[in-house]
Amino acid sequence: METGIHNEAHGADKFGLSDLGSLAWNDLAPVLVEKAVARGEAKLTAHGAVCAETGAHTGRSAQDKFLVRTSGTEDQIWWDNNKAISAEAFDRLHADMLEHAKGKDMLAQDLYGGADPEHRVKVRVFCEFAWHALFIRYMLIRPEIDALADFVPEITIIDLPSFRADPERHECRSETVIACDLERGIVLVGGSSYAGEMKKSVFGALNYVLPTKGVMPMHCSANAADDGRVAVFFGLSGTGKTTLSADPARTLIGDDEHGWSENGIFNFEGGCYAKTIRLSREAEPAIFGATERFGSVMENVVIDERTRMPDFDDATLTENARVAYPIEAIPNASLTGRAGQPTAVVMLTCDAFGVMPPIAKLDPSQAMYHFLSGYTAKVAGTEKGVTEPQATFSTCFGAPFMPRHPSVYGDLLRDLIDKHGVDCWLVNTGWTGGPHGVGSRMPISATRALLSAALDGDLRDAEMRRDPIFGFEVPLQVEGVDQAILNPRETWDDKSAYDHQAMSLARMFNDNFKRFADHVDGKVLSAAPGLRIAAE
């Protein structure tokens, strides 16, 4: 249930925001919808969703994100993956953004990042746009009204899309900037109307804070069965993370960001942020239903000017069109955002080369290896210039959001898997019978049947074979699944072509993993097919 409170003397002056035109505190969703439309920031769809366009930025500006480099963060941040900004430049940027906000009608939201009371952070967001305030209200967790009167933020975000940074003065790359001071808990977002920058900035902060408490932050979805079995799904875009976790027979904990603590799994968020391109009622009924919900926030979805009906097949604005909505819009979603210790970890890959089996069992060291690798593949036509399958490795299945070295998260994951006796599975939702363009997409019915068997524990004692190249175990047969697809080599007409492609992919793993070789032990290195091949 939505709650809200207004308190005009509540924190803005202390933070340095002064001489504002107005400041609305914790407006509820209907009020934010009214303001977004009245201000001309967004349009209403036929079903009452808010639809906004983000202009030049239809996705995250990864090259414009910076972390403040100080003596305290110098040895804590993975600087090979994160851009640095000096404390002096950050202070200039902060002061200039506060000045830019003067005279503006701003909106503030007080929210939680994290559903576990022991590990959540308090987040205050000052927004220029009403639809941004509505978006972040959905994406984070909304406190009860009695928790707002004495709310003291641990992270404060200033979100000013109309601000333009000065690269020379602010030590940034362009007029767009996302700058985070992790020690002081301040995030500055300027020059981008893409609302996802706020969401991912909170995720990045949690990825910095939680490992010091022994809590594993994860870019993953999660669900739970009625018997208490909890599953975690890692996967990059296009691997089926959202689709496969949205199982009507299981309770959805969350679709994107979670923590794993001594108390179990907990959602970082209070909502979902789903892609809508080529969305259909038949394939994704829950997400489609959310687009027809009053107050849902759609980004860069093309709508008919007369009927106000969305056209989810129109990618004129972007392939990254999205909808944001509160988690309660999903019929089988958990309203607590919490569950017990996981019994299964699933790593999803879309192997467009067609050489990975549809499911494989991983031991803890193999799980760490594949987690650090974060493999999937792009297919022809998904991006400009991609004409044949291309391997993609995004460590921890979320490299852009990882402030610390990947080995920190990999060690945490392996220790938690070992401590709780969690089964780990690598699931290929990509191609079989050949690469993209030759073979066919793995049948979704087979993937669901294999997942069900894995999550229900039916595969725990199944007879397995060891893959000669990748080293993991693959079931020989699973009830309800065509036995032929369990051995990908047998699905290829040209077996020598399979061998060549499998060895080639193994070498790609090898080349990618060289950057981690000095940060892992021998057991993890022995799980690497590329390293084993290189030694032969």
Side-chain angles (χ1 to χ4, degrees), residues 416-490:
L416 286 164
I417 287 170
D418 188 56
K419 178 179 180 180
H420 297 288
V422 180
D423 289 334
C424 297
W425 304 94
L426 182 68
V427 172
N428 173 26
T429 60
W431 271 256
T432 184
H436 175 261
V438 177
S440 57
R441 192 73 188 259
M442 197 72 69
I444 186 66
S445 58
T447 301
R448 289 192 182 280
L450 290 166
L451 268 178
S452 293
L455 301 186
D456 292 345
D458 295 343
L459 294 187
R460 178 165 288 179
D461 299 319
E463 187 177 0
M464 301 274 187
R465 67 173 178 87
R466 186 168 296 279
D467 188 278
I469 293 178
F470 294 97
F472 39 52
E473 293 188 322
V474 182
L476 292 177
Q477 59 182 10
V478 177
E479 185 176 353
V481 177
D482 181 0
Q483 189 171 350
I485 70 169
L486 293 172
N487 188 342
R489 188 175 189 272
E490 296 306 311

Side-chain angles (χ1 to χ4, degrees), residues 99-284:
E99 183 66 26
H100 182 80
K102 289 183 177 180
K104 294 189 178 300
D105 296 321
M106 299 285 288
L107 307 101
Q109 290 285 319
D110 289 336
L111 304 158
Y112 294 137
D116 186 336
E118 293 185 39
H119 299 298
R120 69 190 178 199
V121 294
K122 295 179 179 178
V123 183
R124 176 167 292 159
V125 188
F126 293 104
C127 293
E128 180 178 3
F129 291 166
W131 79 267
H132 274 208
L134 180 59
F135 170 91
I136 201 64
R137 182 171 182 83
Y138 287 159
M139 295 316 303
L140 297 184
I141 295 171
R142 300 163 289 284
E144 294 297 326
I145 192 168
D146 58 3
L148 294 172
D150 57 355
F151 190 97
V152 178
E154 298 162 271
I155 298 172
T156 301
I157 299 174
I158 300 182
D159 175 50
L160 290 172
S162 67
F163 178 82
R164 297 292 179 264
D166 180 338
E168 184 174 350
R169 174 173 170 78
H170 301 131
E171 296 180 11
C172 55
R173 190 185 70 101
S174 71
E175 291 185 338
T176 298
V177 63
I178 303 94
C180 310
D181 186 330
L182 293 170
E183 290 188 308
R184 289 189 288 174
I186 301 173
V187 178
L188 307 174
V189 181
S192 174
S193 295
Y194 182 67
E197 296 289 9
M198 296 180 289
K199 159 189 155 74
K200 288 304 184 186
S201 293
V202 175
F203 184 40
L206 287 165
N207 283 333
Y208 180 74
V209 171
L210 292 181
T212 63
K213 303 167 69 175
V215 177
M216 174 68 182
M218 302 178 292
H219 187 214
C220 70
S221 57
N223 64 25
D226 291 341
D227 62 6
R229 291 177 180 266
V230 178
V232 168
F233 298 80
F234 291 101
L236 300 174
S237 180
T239 59
K241 177 165 58 77
T242 299
T243 299
L244 293 172
S245 62
D247 184 338
R250 298 171 69 90
T251 299
L252 179 70
I253 308 304
D255 78 333
D256 197 38
E257 302 168 3
H258 293 80
W260 185 353
S261 75
E262 70 280 7
N263 302 319
I265 298 296
F266 64 99
N267 196 354
F268 286 171
E269 302 183 314
C272 301
Y273 190 34
K275 284 189 175 182
T276 60
I277 197 66
R278 291 175 286 280
L279 179 68
S280 71
R281 192 184 304 274
E282 295 71 28
E284 302 279 6

